[in-house]
Amino acid sequence: MNSELIDRIVALIKREVVPAIGCTEPVAVALCVAKATELLDREPEKISLSLSGNIIKNAMGVGIPGTGMIGLPIAVALGAVVGKSEYGLEVLRDVDSDALEIAKKFVAEERIVITHKKDAPSNLYIEVEVEAGSHKAMAVISGAHTNFIFLSKDDDVLLRKDVESDTSCCDSDPELTEAMVYDFAVNAPLDKISFILEAGLMNREAARMALYNDKDYGHSLGKVIRNQGLRIFGDTPIRHMLSMTSAACDARMGGAKVPVMSNSGSGNQGITATMPVMCYAEDIEASEEQLTRALALSSLTSIYIKQSLGRLSALCGCVVASTGASAGIVLLMGGGYNEVCAAIKNMVANLTGMICDGAKPSCAMKITSGVSTALMSALLAMNGKCVTSQEGIICDDIDTTVHNLTSIGREAMTETDHLVLDIMVNK
């Protein structure tokens, strides 16, 4: 692999693996509101939002950091009151008690109007218009959580782009294959990829916040597995992996004001791609280089799958990220490319079809399903066992298998997505 390709892949990972505070869908909405408010240059009297169904679905039931509240209205208000667009997905970093009280009043005064844009050009689409007196400003995010495609103030258009796709790709990205992903993770110069350790360390701190804090976040699944799970699982790698991974999700979905390192626009995917690998590496006393390369393989495999799946879909993101984690675990177990491919096929054979019914505290349970399957798939692969091309959607070619998974999530599950949203908004 030449140095130019290595640098392009490094740039891709650095773009897709970034810190985020809170669930990325309501945070992206807050980011869009913050940008529009900055353009307006005064406090909005009215905020009108037009959102794609997936944004609404993923923002309905999740805690907003530092508020003790759930849902879009408070995220929107905080974006206007205290949000800074320069922070990106950490836009709500400056939330404090004073800002929260102002935002609550903002909501109570019914300044916020939210509508579902059924004909949105992307599954990830956020359109915000803010008004004050005779002035107005607009900001639009589409395709990716921080990708502004339109900005205007009054009658002046400040930005207009035609980027409306909901895939994770941009023109400068290399066209990945799993062989390329593996080659990069195993052979790239260590100093080029050592930055990936920060992702694991940041997400480990989020897990520790939930585990070693008197406050309970979400459903406290991480604490339950760590404590009551000791009798069932013992002091074993599987218990460590399940507890730490679900705890980080507990904190994030429960509204803890703690950053996590996201992957492809999702904090939960970032957590799932890193924490099982971190925990297993610690249990086997892996070297820093082994951990670094395993994290790179896990993270880049997740990015590769998301490139063809799209940012948001009816397929739960834990399927993608835990598939990456399984590949990383195989590497830590001493497996090579053939074993990595086998683990990925085992994952696709098992978890394909798990629905996404929005971001919420119970995501921690889906994540633990993905993590336990990741370890099982890795163990099978290391014992020469792989689901064959005679079974289901698995093909001999690994990349075809991956694209079978993403085609189902992106195309076949579209009606599932519509029905899930309909159930959620009408119950």
Side-chain angles (χ1 to χ4, degrees), residues 154-424:
D154 294 326
D155 295 326
D156 296 327
V157 175
L158 307 175
L159 172 71
R160 188 193 300 272
K161 296 198 301 186
D162 293 327
V163 182
E164 296 181 343
S165 169
D166 61 353
T167 68
S168 303
C169 302
C170 69
D171 291 341
S172 62
D173 290 342
E175 187 174 343
L176 296 175
T177 64
E178 188 57 35
M180 187 187 300
V181 169
Y182 178 83
D183 186 15
F184 173 86
V186 171
N187 296 314
L190 194 60
D191 64 329
K192 293 269 191 179
I193 60 174
S194 59
F195 69 89
I196 200 68
L197 286 172
E198 183 185 353
L201 295 173
M202 179 179 288
N203 293 342
R204 187 171 66 183
E205 287 307 305
R208 287 174 173 172
M209 168 182 274
L211 288 176
Y212 306 111
N213 193 311
D214 291 337
K215 181 176 179 178
D216 287 333
Y217 292 101
H219 298 294
S220 297
L221 181 58
K223 280 185 179 179
V224 170
I225 295 173
R226 184 197 64 177
N227 298 330
Q228 284 71 38
L230 179 62
R231 178 175 58 85
I232 298 171
F233 294 109
D235 191 22
T236 59
I238 185 62
R239 172 172 159 269
H240 302 157
M241 293 161 67
L242 295 178
S243 177
M244 290 292 285
T245 309
S246 58
C249 182
D250 287 334
R252 179 172 178 265
M253 295 289 96
K257 193 178 177 183
V258 59
V260 301
M261 198 70 83
S262 64
N263 185 302
S264 303
S266 168
N268 281 349
Q269 286 170 194
I271 289 167
T272 309
T274 56
M275 289 314 304
V277 177
M278 291 283 291
C279 292
Y280 190 76
E282 184 175 338
D283 278 326
I284 66 170
E285 299 182 348
S287 68
E288 185 172 290
E289 178 174 354
Q290 288 175 309
L291 172 58
T292 300
R293 296 195 181 281
L295 286 172
L297 178 59
S298 175
S299 299
L300 190 56
T301 295
S302 301
I303 291 168
Y304 163 49
I305 299 172
K306 289 292 285 187
Q307 279 187 331
S308 58
L309 177 63
R311 293 284 176 173
L312 300 176
S313 74
L315 183 69
C316 178
C318 86
V319 176
V320 174
S322 57
T323 299
S326 190
I329 292 166
V330 165
L331 198 64
L332 289 171
M333 289 178 169
Y337 178 67
N338 290 335
E339 289 76 23
V340 166
C341 292
I344 292 172
K345 290 179 182 180
N346 294 340
M347 292 293 291
V348 173
N350 193 326
L351 288 183
T352 298
M354 182 183 287
I355 66 167
C356 170
D357 54 343
K360 60 211 175 300
S362 60
C363 286
M365 290 188 277
K366 292 188 177 185
I367 282 175
T368 57
S369 296
V371 172
S372 60
T373 305
L375 182 58
M376 178 186 68
S377 296
L379 285 170
L380 280 172
M382 292 301 294
N383 280 274
K385 305 296 183 182
C386 177
V387 177
T388 69
S389 59
Q390 282 71 49
E391 303 173 69
I393 64 170
I394 305 304
C395 293
D396 290 328
D397 180 71
I398 185 61
D399 298 303
T400 303
T401 297
V402 166
H403 286 101
N404 289 344
L405 166 70
T406 59
S407 293
I408 289 171
R410 187 182 66 251
E411 299 167 18
M413 295 178 72
T414 300
E415 287 305 314
T416 299
D417 214 20
H418 294 161
L419 181 57
V420 166
L421 179 61
D422 186 59
I423 291 171
M424 290 175 65

Side-chain angles (χ1 to χ4, degrees), residues 81-145:
V81 170
V82 74
K84 289 184 174 63
S85 65
E86 65 190 79
Y87 292 167
L89 293 180
E90 295 180 278
V91 61
L92 299 182
R93 184 193 303 171
D94 294 337
V95 170
D96 57 21
S97 58
D98 291 338
L100 180 58
E101 289 308 309
I102 297 171
K104 286 179 179 178
K105 182 180 178 182
F106 210 100
V107 174
E109 292 172 351
E110 298 183 346
R111 301 193 205 182
I112 301 166
V113 178
I114 300 172
T115 58
H116 177 196
K117 189 174 179 65
K118 295 183 178 180
D119 60 347
S122 165
N123 284 342
L124 197 167
Y125 185 86
I126 304 163
E127 181 181 303
V128 175
E129 183 175 79
V130 293
E131 303 174 58
S134 61
H135 297 282
K136 63 181 180 180
M138 179 177 284
V140 179
I141 286 175
S142 181
H145 292 78

